[in-house]
Amino acid sequence: MNLILLGAPGAGKGTQATKIADRYGLVHISTGDIFRANIKAGTEIGLLAKSYTDKGELVPDEVTCAIVRDRLTWEDCKKGYLLDGFPRNLFQAEELDKFAHIDGVVNINIDHALLMDRLCGRRVCRECGESYHVSTLGGKTTCARCGGELYQRKDDNPETVGARLAVYNEQTAPLIDYYTRKGIILNFTGSEAPAEALFEEVKAVLDKLA
Ligand code: ADP
Ligand code: ZN
């Protein structure tokens, strides 16, 4: 089963992605994680990506599509994969159609009024990627799951979040129509409820697809 996970920044894609990948044995491919790893390692791709991710803009399509296209040729993708953060515009979606077959698109709709606070208060574990909201941490700086150090992503500041939301509205949201027309969209509503509740709904739908 090959899936796409769609949703605005802060909709809770990361948390659902881990749960979905675990349950269905899929490879989790996050373009945001790939860029962050490259930036950390100081690779050529990282140097290029940084100038865009810092501003909340999209890394150029040619670069992003080439990375995903290559990643999907790895042996592990034969068991199925979950694309998280890709495609992010119509060009990328059309490119993807040339080298992949997608069975379903998990779309998380969420009230955008929630997102600014969620993202600006987000703290992420350096080790396992789990995210938390600063308001629930009570000053703790380590991950409850693995003990790793929590940090704030450089692009989780009001200015960059504003840009990321604008990019989502202008470029990524039209993909909902694109995949609705293809008949493979699976719509869900995110909220302030715990991620487990949303995952129960996602599971009920994906179990029928798997
Ligand atoms: P978000 O929380 O905004 O959904 P991601 O971790 O998915 O964040 O992505 C972080 C940044 O990485 C984006 O703002 C963008 O600069 C870059 N990026 C990730 N995926 C893509 C993509 N498919 N195309 C272009 N740029 C991307
Ligand atoms: Zn952790």
Side-chain angles (χ1 to χ4, degrees):
M1 179 165 69
N2 300 331
L3 301 174
I4 291 170
L5 190 52
L6 202 59
K13 290 194 298 293
T15 311
Q16 296 302 320
T18 312
K19 294 177 185 292
I20 294 169
D22 270 3
R23 177 166 177 94
Y24 302 101
L26 309 177
V27 186
H28 175 201
I29 301 172
S30 156
T31 42
D33 285 350
I34 292 173
F35 288 132
R36 280 184 289 277
N38 274 278
I39 291 168
K40 198 172 167 195
T43 68
E44 208 172 309
I45 286 173
L47 282 175
L48 175 117
K50 192 176 183 322
S51 56
Y52 298 93
T53 59
D54 277 355
K55 286 184 282 187
E57 293 169 7
L58 296 186
V59 178
D61 289 333
E62 308 78 74
V63 178
T64 310
C65 290
I67 289 172
V68 174
R69 184 185 195 125
D70 173 78
R71 183 63 186 86
L72 296 188
T73 65
W74 293 22
E75 190 65 24
D76 59 354
C77 287
K78 290 214 174 82
K79 60 185 182 181
Y81 50 81
L82 173 65
L83 289 173
D84 168 8
F86 182 93
R88 248 182 164 85
N89 59 27
L90 280 170
F91 181 86
Q92 293 181 5
E94 283 166 359
E95 283 302 298
L96 180 66
D97 282 340
K98 297 178 189 165
F99 56 79
H101 173 84
I102 302 299
D103 302 294
V105 177
V106 173
N107 177 40
I108 308 177
N109 291 297
I110 189 159
D111 180 355
H112 284 206
L114 295 173
L115 299 178
M116 181 59 81
D117 172 67
R118 269 202 186 189
L119 288 163
C120 294
R122 178 163 73 176
R123 299 294 182 273
V124 185
C125 174
R126 254 187 224 293
E127 304 304 323
C128 75
E130 180 81 340
S131 39
Y132 299 86
H133 193 275
V134 72
S135 64
T136 65
L137 284 170
K140 282 198 280 297
T141 57
T142 54
C143 175
R145 203 167 142 214
C146 78
E149 181 203 358
L150 302 181
Y151 78 108
Q152 181 169 29
R153 264 171 57 172
K154 198 169 175 231
D155 57 353
D156 282 347
N157 63 77
E159 197 189 345
T160 312
V161 168
R164 284 155 64 203
L165 293 175
V167 167
Y168 173 81
N169 288 330
E170 285 157 25
Q171 302 197 45
T172 313
L175 297 182
I176 300 172
D177 268 355
Y178 182 82
Y179 290 115
T180 302
R181 281 197 301 274
K182 284 184 181 288
I184 56 171
I185 200 98
L186 307 165
N187 282 305
F188 299 93
T189 303
S191 68
E192 281 168 299
E196 285 71 26
L198 175 57
F199 183 60
E200 287 304 314
E201 295 176 29
V202 172
K203 210 162 66 177
V205 172
L206 290 183
D207 276 357
K208 286 184 240 157
L209 207 74

